[in-house]
Amino acid sequence: MRLRPVAPLIFLENKVDTSLAGVAMPKGTSLLLLMRRPATHAGAFDAPEEFRPRRWLDGATGAHEPSANLPFGSGPRICPGRSLALLEMRVALSSIFKAFDVQRVGADVVWERFSFTMEPARLRLRISARGTRGPA
Ligand code: HEM
C-alpha cells in the first residue's frame, strides 16, 4: 500500500483561498495530489524504496512518518471503504496462498499501468493447487 498504492492520485478542490509553500491557491483551484512521492521520500521513511513490512510492526529504525503514507486519503473525505478493503485483502491473499502455489514465470520486467487504479502489466504467474493442505 506504500510502495505500490492502487490509488496514487487524489483530486481535490480547496474551499477557501489559501497558499502552500508560497504558491497562492484561490478557492476552487483544481489540485492533483501525487500520493506516492511523500510515501517514498527519504525524509519520511528509512530506506524508502525497500519493501520492509516489519517496519510497521517492530518499531522502525530511522525515519518513519506514517502520515506521509495515505493510500486511502485523509480528512473528512477519507475512503469509507478502508476497513472493508483491508479485510478483503487479508481474506483474498490468505485464501489464495492457502490453496495454491504461486510462482513467477518468465523474466519480463513487471510494469505498472494506470487504468483508474494501478495494475501490474506483464506479470506472468503459474498458479497450481497445493499438494498438501495445512491445518484448518
Ligand atoms: C485498496 C482499496 C481501496 C483504496 C486504495 C481506496 C482509496 C480511496 C481514496 C484514495 C479515496 C479518496 C480519499 C480522499 O479524497 O481523501 C477513496 C474514496 C472513496 N472510497 Fe475508496 N479505496 C479502496 C476501497 C474502497 C472500497 C472497498 C469502498 C466501498 C466499499 C470504497 C469507497 C469509497 C468511497 C465511497 C469514496 C468517496 C468518499 C468521499 O468522497 O467522501 N473504497 N478511496
Side-chain angles (χ1 to χ4, degrees), residues 1 6-7 10 12 71-74 77-81 84-85 88-89:
M1 293 300 287
V6 295
I10 294 184
L12 298 177
F72 293 100
S74 184
R77 306 303 291 266
I78 192 171
C79 174
L84 175 62
E88 284 177 333
M89 286 176 213

Side-chain angles (χ1 to χ4, degrees), residues 85-134:
L86 291 171
L87 180 68
E88 284 177 333
M89 286 176 213
R90 291 191 196 104
V91 170
L93 289 174
S94 58
S95 302
I96 290 168
F97 285 100
K98 186 176 178 190
F100 300 99
D101 286 318
V102 181
Q103 287 180 309
R104 276 286 303 277
V105 177
D108 287 349
V109 175
V110 178
W111 294 78
E112 287 179 283
R113 185 167 46 211
F114 184 68
S115 54
F116 184 63
T117 57
M118 299 300 284
E119 60 182 32
R122 298 186 204 157
L123 175 61
R124 298 181 61 226
L125 301 172
R126 177 179 295 119
I127 299 174
S128 49
R130 286 177 76 116
T132 55
R133 283 189 162 253

